[in-house]
Amino acid sequence: MIESLPTGLPDPNCSLGVVIVNYQTFDLTMQCVASLLEHGIAKAEHIVVVDNHSPDQSGARLDQSLPQGVVRVLSKVNGGFGAGVNLGVQVLKTDLVLVLNPDTTFLRNKIDVVRRLFDQRPRLGVVGLKLINPDGSLQYSARRFYSLPDIVARRTALGKLGPLRRLERSHLLIRKWREEPFEADWVMGTGFVVRRHAFEQVGRMDEGYFLYFEEVDLCARMWAHGWRVLAVPEVELVHDHQRASGAGILSPSGKTHLRSMVRFFAKFGVPWFRRPSRYRMAIALARWRQSAQAGRLSKPQHEG
């Protein structure tokens, strides 16, 4: 599956590593890595760039062009975003891992704020960063878990109506974005830091998702295992994104988004009218796992 997968020993002097998954984003990935090095977010040897078998040969270009010391991982298949993150984390030996989209850059280094939070809170599993647009406006990267009315409010014109508009503001935790860290059900996968021990304990990223909902699933499993999820307004990350999932339900990205949503609800239950509690989602996850295990055990074993 992997063309090159470096290995190494733990570095006691570095608690933070970085994983960036590239898929046909050569220029953005180079810019993201340059930002990390310019602001001293991480050392070159603790930055891992995973190429998900890009058909435009950007993986080979990155292999030749990335700064010295940056680790390259060239996958022979495109297993999706979660699979790429798992490959990158597998290489790193750091206690904390910063997962970034290629279309992100730092303007300043305040990552020590995140390190201190993890040091002070032993049950902290995931920290989401404050995502801002290039013009400085906020992207509201911490959310509540979805109910079906939330999806209607977010994805249809009905969201402009009074009651659903208030529902959307609640879903986006708009009033929470002050200077103090706050608890969120989940944070966007564009830029987040995860405790490696927690990441391994909950089973890493679910590679059953190809794209979208991986971070929602990861955070839901964190809560189910007793880990906490916080958002940190003090640490900003510029995200110059194009919202492909909002292109329409019949577009390729829209269909992928819908498939991921179906998988998530299959695992954690369908929230018909109101947002699910974390406790009920943990119960639904346990049942889903039991059902999946029973299905595997009931399959006939093929003779080799």
Side-chain angles (χ1 to χ4, degrees):
M1 178 179 180
I2 304 170
E3 192 171 290
S4 61
L5 184 60
T7 58
L9 297 175
D11 184 353
N13 298 317
C14 178
S15 62
L16 181 78
V18 183
V19 172
I20 304 165
V21 179
N22 171 75
Y23 184 74
Q24 302 193 115
T25 53
F26 173 83
D27 291 334
L28 290 173
T29 299
M30 291 293 294
Q31 179 178 290
C32 183
V33 171
S35 167
L36 293 169
L37 295 175
E38 176 186 354
H39 296 288
I41 306 296
K43 299 177 182 178
E45 58 267 30
H46 296 120
I47 300 173
V48 180
V49 174
V50 179
D51 178 68
N52 261 352
H53 196 55
S54 299
D56 67 349
Q57 301 301 312
S58 57
R61 292 174 64 198
L62 287 168
D63 192 30
Q64 296 297 319
S65 304
L66 283 168
Q68 184 176 2
V70 174
V71 182
R72 292 85 155 157
V73 177
L74 305 178
S75 176
K76 293 184 178 180
V77 298
N78 180 9
F81 174 73
V85 171
N86 287 343
L87 287 175
V89 175
Q90 183 178 338
V91 173
L92 287 168
K93 305 298 179 181
T94 54
D95 296 328
L96 304 176
V97 179
L98 169 61
V99 178
L100 292 176
N101 275 12
D103 54 356
T104 59
T105 53
F106 283 91
L107 297 179
R108 60 189 63 84
N109 185 352
K110 301 189 76 172
I111 205 69
D112 281 345
V113 172
V114 175
R115 286 195 177 97
R116 286 196 298 270
L117 278 174
F118 278 102
D119 287 341
Q120 295 166 0
R121 308 187 188 204
R123 294 305 299 175
L124 180 57
V126 173
V127 166
L129 307 186
K130 180 181 181 180
L131 301 182
I132 58 175
N133 294 303
D135 64 3
S137 59
L138 191 58
Q139 292 186 7
Y140 300 110
S141 52
R143 312 281 175 87
R144 299 285 305 278
F145 286 127
Y146 289 99
S147 66
L148 291 186
D150 285 318
I151 295 171
V152 172
R154 292 281 294 155
R155 298 291 175 180
T156 73
L158 295 175
K160 297 179 181 179
L161 300 178
L164 288 182
R165 190 174 182 180
R166 289 192 292 272
L167 188 68
E168 181 183 31
R169 291 177 62 85
S170 171
H171 169 72
L172 297 177
L173 296 170
I174 287 177
R175 295 185 177 182
K176 294 286 188 178
W177 287 97
R178 307 290 194 273
E179 290 302 317
E180 293 298 320
F182 63 91
E183 196 172 88
D185 286 343
W186 62 277
V187 294
M188 287 175 60
T190 305
F192 69 92
V193 182
V194 63
R195 190 188 298 272
R196 184 189 184 90
H197 172 65
F199 187 75
E200 301 289 353
Q201 186 188 45
V202 305
R204 301 187 172 193
M205 303 291 277
D206 182 351
E207 298 183 15
Y209 301 92
F210 184 78
L211 191 62
Y212 309 121
F213 268 83
E214 306 97 328
E215 71 272 61
V216 194
D217 184 290
L218 176 66
C219 290
R221 285 182 285 125
M222 286 286 174
W223 285 114
H225 285 79
W227 297 97
R228 297 182 66 197
V229 178
L230 294 181
V232 185
E234 193 174 349
V235 185
E236 293 184 344
L237 183 65
V238 178
H239 180 210
D240 189 3
H241 73 132
Q242 295 182 358
R243 190 179 166 195
S245 63
I249 194 170
L250 297 181
S251 68
S253 59
K255 292 177 180 177
T256 301
H257 200 277
L258 184 59
R259 284 193 294 270
S260 295
M261 186 185 302
V262 169
R263 178 174 179 82
F264 182 83
F265 287 156
K267 290 179 69 172
F268 296 98
V270 180
W272 293 107
F273 300 110
R274 61 179 61 184
R275 293 166 186 151
S277 69
R278 296 164 187 165
Y279 174 73
R280 292 189 66 178
M281 292 178 72
I283 293 175
L285 177 62
R287 289 173 178 166
W288 181 84
R289 285 173 170 166
Q290 290 174 356
S291 177
Q293 180 65 21
R296 285 192 292 269
L297 293 176
S298 65
K299 290 181 179 179
Q301 297 296 316
H302 297 286
E303 294 183 0

